[in-house]
Amino acid sequence: MDLGVFDIFKIGVGPSSSHTMGPMLAAARFLDALRDGRDRIPGAGPPARLETRLHGSLAFTGKGHATDRAVLLGLLGFAPATLDPDRADAALAELAATRLARPEGLPPLSLDPDADVIFDYGPALPHHANGMVISAHDALGELHMTETYYSVGGGFVVTAREFEQGAAGAPPPPPPHPYANMAELLARGRETGLSIARMARANADARYGPAALDRELDRLWEAMSSCIDRGLGQEGELPGGLRVRRRAKTMRDQLEAERGINVPGLGTASDWLACYAMAVNEENAAGGRVVTAPTNGAAGVLPAVTRWYVDHAPGARRETVRDMLLVAGAVGAIIKTNASISGAEVGCQGEVGAASAMAAAALCSALGGTDAQVENAAEIALEHHLGMTCDPIRGLVQAPCIERNAMGAVKAAAAASLALRGDGAHLVPLDACIETMRQTGRDMDERYKETSRGGLAVNLPQC
């Protein structure tokens, strides 16, 4: 398994890991290629103008996902993990006035925000639904350099060449507990007597070092928890024109007011899970700072389940939160490797479904589940998201996305509870469920895979 925990979890900005973070990172990579100069076209003059062409899902839902803004910021030298919103807004305002990008280490480059980011609604590029071509031209209009990028979900970006080679760089050193799927991970656990959490930690220790690992895991959880807190403190409408109102703060206030009432609500635990998840995804929809888990569109599920554990489960410990992230990362890596976490590739089963499986496994592990029960929890959660489409209304990551995260968190907790009530024996292995998701996504009509050309996106007349 070449994917590490910090490949699955990345700190970035909303509203989408595939349509916002990925294109921003692709643009930054193109600037690096320009600085390097190795791939320039022979005979071309120095770069003078930049152009980006968006294809497939990036074109169809790019406006709602702020893909054009993300590309421009990337070409101006910004990166998702360190983006300062105030500096970004100022840089975009200057670009609108001057039509010039001034990235470090390069000459001033012509970049017209209105003309040089092109939404191409024709056929998608061959390797993935989220394709984009970035080009630089010289002063005479001749092509200086061009590169095709694919944003494959979760903030992962590969070039066309990397896609064809089947890898995006050299693999990391072999881990002490190698596995390619859940069956191999379970077998390794039986051989060594180690839990999934301990094997995931040993692998991550070997890759990152123990001190750096704990420091970065704590940083991830701080970012997730802070995102919940920010979401719980905000009110008003989300941007984009759908007039979707933030609800997490009101819901939290209601739940706090109900503490101590003798008659409990319909589902207090479920309500807290939903509240935390919605807080994150309302922040994501507003372009706030979030962590891919495994994507931005599904960023609320794992933080909600983990926060519920921290706030409501007796005996919660900091070390357990670290292990929850490691277990969730291992499950997410298995799903991404053997299927997909991209809504544009397999629908929302690959985003919220994967997130729910990750969160269910993490919670089951934290509550003392065996490896077999952890695997069962992940399978239950994923199985009951199979076939879920990705049909964001007006291309905005708001409806049905925000509530879908709430339901994914609730399903994750229910799946963990069901698994803990059993002994781990069950009919459908997680690996079979993941393969089913891959096949279902392959067969799913393209209109239902993050194009906003089917489903809820076309059945709400007022939108």
Side-chain angles (χ1 to χ4, degrees):
M1 185 64 62
D2 292 341
L3 297 176
V5 63
F6 304 123
D7 295 316
I8 298 298
F9 301 120
K10 306 183 186 76
I11 298 174
V13 294
S16 172
S17 52
S18 59
H19 289 58
T20 313
M21 287 176 59
M24 195 184 301
L25 290 167
R29 285 188 64 177
F30 187 74
L31 292 183
D32 287 339
L34 280 180
R35 296 183 187 103
D36 179 75
R38 205 176 322 176
D39 293 327
R40 69 178 293 175
I41 294 173
R49 183 175 72 85
L50 298 171
E51 179 186 273
T52 301
R53 187 173 290 271
L54 304 172
H55 296 264
S57 180
L58 293 183
F60 284 107
T61 63
K63 286 289 185 183
H65 287 74
T67 304
D68 47 349
R69 183 178 189 272
V71 169
L72 294 171
L73 287 172
L75 293 174
L76 290 172
F78 288 86
T82 57
L83 186 137
D84 180 326
D86 293 332
R87 284 188 57 236
D89 289 343
L92 288 173
E94 180 182 351
L95 177 65
T98 64
R99 302 294 196 269
L100 283 176
R102 303 178 188 275
E104 185 177 349
L106 289 167
L109 300 167
S110 174
L111 178 60
D112 186 338
D114 299 321
D116 290 331
V117 180
I118 301 161
F119 292 81
D120 190 324
Y121 300 107
L125 297 180
H127 296 303
H128 194 277
N130 293 334
M132 56 190 292
V133 179
I134 308 180
S135 305
H137 301 263
D138 65 18
L140 298 177
E142 298 298 322
L143 194 61
H144 171 90
M145 183 184 294
T146 187
E147 185 62 86
T148 299
Y149 297 94
Y150 294 95
S151 179
V152 296
F156 290 86
V157 174
V158 294
T159 65
R161 187 182 311 130
E162 290 165 349
F163 220 118
E164 288 155 6
Q165 292 171 347
H177 304 291
Y179 61 93
N181 52 43
M182 182 55 79
E184 292 182 7
L185 185 57
L186 291 174
R188 185 69 180 175
R190 289 190 295 270
E191 292 169 7
T192 62
L194 298 175
S195 67
I196 290 174
R198 290 186 64 187
M199 288 186 289
R201 172 164 284 279
N203 285 351
D205 278 345
R207 185 168 185 163
Y208 306 109
L213 174 63
D214 284 344
R215 183 176 63 250
E216 290 304 304
L217 289 173
D218 290 345
R219 189 170 76 97
L220 280 177
W221 173 238
E222 189 280 329
M224 290 179 177
S225 190
S226 295
C227 185
I228 292 174
D229 291 337
R230 286 196 309 274
L232 293 176
Q234 303 297 318
E235 295 180 293
E237 290 184 359
L238 294 168
L242 287 182
R243 308 207 67 182
V244 171
R245 295 191 63 81
R246 290 179 181 256
R247 290 182 285 166
K249 181 181 184 300
T250 298
M251 194 170 181
R252 190 274 308 271
D253 292 344
Q254 291 170 344
L255 288 167
E256 292 287 0
E258 292 167 5
R259 285 186 187 272
I261 295 177
N262 290 332
V263 180
L266 182 61
T268 304
S270 296
D271 289 346
W272 277 112
L273 287 161
C275 178
Y276 293 146
M278 290 170 66
V280 172
N281 283 85
E282 287 171 358
E283 278 295 292
N284 180 62
R289 186 169 181 258
V290 298
V291 179
T292 62
T295 67
N296 282 29
V301 178
L302 178 63
V305 170
T306 308
R307 181 66 170 265
W308 180 88
Y309 170 80
V310 169
D311 286 358
H312 302 275
R317 296 178 298 117
R318 185 187 192 98
E319 293 78 10
T320 306
V321 171
R322 293 170 181 163
D323 284 348
M324 290 178 75
L325 295 176
L326 288 166
V327 170
V331 172
I334 289 171
I335 294 173
K336 176 169 172 52
T337 299
N338 295 291
S340 175
I341 58 171
S342 168
E345 192 170 14
V346 296
C348 200
Q349 59 177 351
E351 296 204 33
V352 171
S356 189
M358 292 161 61
L363 182 59
C364 185
S365 175
L367 295 177
T370 65
D371 283 0
Q373 289 171 321
V374 169
E375 186 264 355
N376 188 17
E379 188 279 327
I380 293 169
L382 184 59
E383 180 180 324
H384 297 289
H385 285 87
L386 289 177
M388 182 175 280
T389 61
C390 184
D391 53 351
I393 297 171
R394 205 181 285 177
L396 298 167
V397 192
Q398 297 179 18
C401 318
I402 295 170
E403 287 182 354
R404 191 166 281 178
N405 274 257
M407 297 306 298
V410 171
K411 284 185 181 182
S417 181
L418 279 172
L420 287 167
R421 296 285 184 184
D423 61 4
H426 57 289
L427 180 62
V428 181
L430 176 62
D431 291 329
C433 193
I434 292 171
E435 173 59 17
T436 301
M437 185 184 80
R438 187 191 69 80
Q439 293 176 8
T440 303
R442 179 196 62 197
D443 297 339
M444 188 181 290
D445 191 296
E446 294 298 320
R447 291 174 297 171
Y448 302 107
K449 293 194 284 190
E450 211 168 356
T451 63
S452 290
R453 293 189 292 134
L456 288 174
V458 299
N459 284 302
L460 200 62
Q462 62 268 36
C463 291

